[in-house]
Amino acid sequence: MAKRTINDIDLRGKRVLARVDYNVPMADKDGAMRINDDTRIRATLPTLQSMTESGAKVVLAAHLGRPKGERVPSMSLRPVADRLSELIGQPVAFCDQCVGQAATDAAAKLEDGGLLLLENVRYHAEEEANDPAFAKQLAGDAEVFVNDAFGAAHRAHASTAGVAAVLNARGGQCVSGLLMERELQFLGDELESPERPFVVILGGAKVSDKIKVIDRLLDKADTILIGGAMAYTFKLAKGFTVGKSLVERDKVDVAQAALDKAAKRGVQFLIPSDNVIAVPTEIDGRFAFGDHRVNDSENIPDNVEGVDIGPKSAEAFCSVIAGAGTILWNGPMGIFEDERFAGGTFAVAKAVCEATANGAKSIIGGGDSVKALNKAGLGDQVTFMSTGGGASLEFLEGRELPGVDALADK
Ligand code: AMP
């Protein structure tokens, strides 16, 4: 069911606690932490602008990295406050605590339309433990809780589920931000009744990570295209050899069950008929690949590893994508981080963008497919790119996300 959003309530003069996803990549440069990619900060601007224009007093809570309950200086959110201030064009106060007197005082100083970012909530072990007393402190005197952090919504933590429980118990309001609303619309509502044909493209490392998504989408999709290392487990199920490719031998029966279900439901289910292969050599615990070439056979020879889909498969996948009404894509077709093995992923990315230009709705289900599209410079040519990784997958599996569940229904 659709969730109430910030547009459904009156925020004038209200005290708001907003959970945002500012888990941005940072690196040390000349002794100071610098933000490498501010996409996640930019993604919250529509929600923040709408709230500040409504005159709300907005306290922002977020996490960065995995400090595991310790104050790790390199994981401070202070640089995010500075960057957010530049992007939104107004001062953003920063408090180096997220709970306690300093945080309470900083929140009390906020004027209507003001913004305050609290320090990393994961500096406290109580955050991930969803400790009720910590959640109560974090909630402060907020009258409204806004969750715009889809990427953290699959975790029942104090700043996602805990504060919502506090607000709900004292008659406050819990609503979604505009980014969260778009995530729920595209990964949820749009896929419930997709424009047909509905083509699902899945790749990445493991069948086990995505089998529940495959199973659920087999009820809805017209075609499923499988690439990445997970294709090799399906190859094994079909009786082909996979050489040294990354496979999950204990998941062959799971792959077979998916193939059976596809056949029963009349879902077209394609796995690569050719592959790019390479010879792996282990050097200091890491794999290097040499002698890469196209293997124009369903079977992969003994001493080589499948590292990408081959040109014939890419062409077959792209022609299916060209005819799609709705496309959902999650996971690369090969080890795209190495440009020798990025051809299949980039061909699929291009085909998805061309289909979008021709009227298809394209939804990118987060994680590495988003990275691949951005690497190909095509990030702005799809209908929607999810900001969630694990959260997107769990949502696509049809699971309730604790951070979404706690928000009021429309
Ligand atoms: P996931 O997080 O499950 O979407 O997996 C993404 C990862 O899968 C990327 O880091 C890819 O390098 C990796 N991957 C894709 N294809 C292969 C392959 N054929 N062999 C090994 N790893 C792969």
Side-chain angles (χ1 to χ4, degrees):
M1 179 181 293
K3 295 291 176 182
R4 297 186 82 189
T5 77
I6 53 169
N7 288 333
D8 297 319
I9 61 174
D10 180 13
L11 285 171
R12 187 148 305 279
K14 290 268 170 63
R15 297 199 163 276
V16 173
L17 177 73
R19 175 61 158 101
V20 284
D21 182 1
Y22 287 162
N23 193 21
V24 291
M26 285 200 202
D28 188 324
K29 202 168 162 231
D30 306 326
M33 294 307 286
R34 306 233 185 259
I35 298 165
N36 285 336
D37 180 348
D38 61 11
T39 309
R40 286 186 165 149
I41 306 174
R42 288 174 189 275
T44 64
L45 295 180
T47 300
L48 301 191
Q49 272 154 348
S50 167
M51 292 196 293
T52 55
E53 278 162 19
S54 303
K57 302 173 174 75
V58 183
V59 177
L60 301 168
H63 79 274
L64 179 64
R66 294 186 175 158
K68 304 226 165 92
E70 306 282 329
R71 275 192 92 87
V72 180
S74 63
M75 295 179 193
S76 169
L77 282 166
R78 187 181 289 276
V80 173
D82 297 339
R83 186 79 191 110
L84 173 60
S85 173
E86 282 166 29
L87 291 170
I88 202 163
Q90 74 170 75
V92 176
F94 180 73
C95 178
D96 67 2
Q97 307 290 328
C98 66
V99 290
Q101 198 57 49
T104 308
D105 292 347
K109 276 199 208 131
L110 275 176
E111 302 197 340
D112 288 2
L115 287 166
L116 162 69
L117 176 62
L118 300 174
E119 185 53 285
N120 193 344
V121 287
R122 288 198 189 164
Y123 277 1
H124 296 259
E126 295 91 333
E127 158 66 0
E128 293 188 64
N130 192 9
D131 179 85
F134 177 77
K136 198 161 172 219
Q137 283 194 64
L138 193 59
D141 59 1
E143 302 156 275
V144 178
F145 173 58
V146 174
N147 195 342
D148 213 21
F150 180 74
H154 58 317
R155 307 272 183 237
H157 290 169
S159 67
T160 58
V163 286
V166 173
L167 270 274
N168 280 328
R170 68 183 184 209
Q173 288 169 298
C174 296
V175 297
S176 84
L178 305 178
L179 177 62
M180 173 79 91
E181 180 189 31
R182 273 170 65 74
E183 295 276 0
L184 301 180
Q185 178 199 337
F186 282 103
L187 295 180
D189 304 343
E190 295 281 355
L191 301 183
E192 278 307 314
S193 45
E195 203 65 50
R196 295 197 177 271
F198 178 23
V199 175
V200 175
I201 313 157
L202 291 171
K206 290 183 180 164
V207 170
S208 51
D209 286 347
K210 292 180 190 166
I211 190 62
K212 289 198 189 118
V213 175
I214 297 176
D215 190 56
R216 180 148 187 271
L217 291 171
L218 274 167
D219 293 331
K220 300 197 159 73
D222 298 295
T223 302
I224 298 193
L225 308 174
I226 302 278
M230 74 158 85
Y232 307 122
T233 306
F234 284 98
K235 266 191 187 290
L236 272 186
K238 288 190 150 203
F240 299 119
T241 60
V242 296
K244 286 194 168 172
S245 304
L246 185 63
V247 284
E248 291 168 280
R249 290 183 190 276
D250 59 337
K251 292 288 174 302
V252 170
D253 54 342
V254 171
Q256 185 60 56
L259 291 169
D260 293 344
K261 183 167 173 181
K264 205 164 141 203
R265 298 190 68 91
V267 176
Q268 187 187 20
F269 199 101
L270 298 185
I271 64 170
S273 58
D274 64 342
N275 282 92
V276 175
I277 53 169
V279 180
T281 327
E282 204 180 330
I283 303 169
D284 295 336
R286 297 185 57 145
F287 279 99
F289 294 100
D291 193 19
H292 70 286
R293 58 191 189 280
V294 172
N295 176 57
D296 190 12
S297 158
E298 301 269 26
N299 289 302
I300 294 179
D302 276 356
N303 288 315
V304 298
E305 182 171 334
V307 287
D308 193 8
I309 59 173
K312 262 194 343 202
S313 310
E315 207 183 311
F317 284 14
C318 291
S319 87
V320 171
I321 293 165
T326 307
I327 302 161
L328 173 68
W329 179 23
N330 183 296
M333 299 290 100
I335 307 177
F336 76 105
E337 297 90 340
D338 184 327
E339 67 181 35
R340 294 172 297 170
F341 315 138
T345 302
F346 286 172
V348 163
K350 201 163 152 262
V352 169
C353 295
E354 280 166 9
T356 313
N358 290 330
K361 209 169 268 175
S362 53
I363 298 164
I364 314 304
D368 275 335
S369 338
V370 169
K371 276 190 211 153
L373 267 167
N374 285 333
K375 210 170 156 188
L378 300 170
D380 56 349
Q381 294 179 36
V382 293
T383 312
F384 180 72
M385 286 205 292
S386 176
T387 55
S392 315
L393 278 183
E394 289 195 20
F395 192 63
L396 288 171
E397 284 173 12
R399 282 210 248 172
E400 302 267 2
L401 307 187
V404 174
D405 227 15
L407 307 178
D409 293 328
K410 276 230 196 231

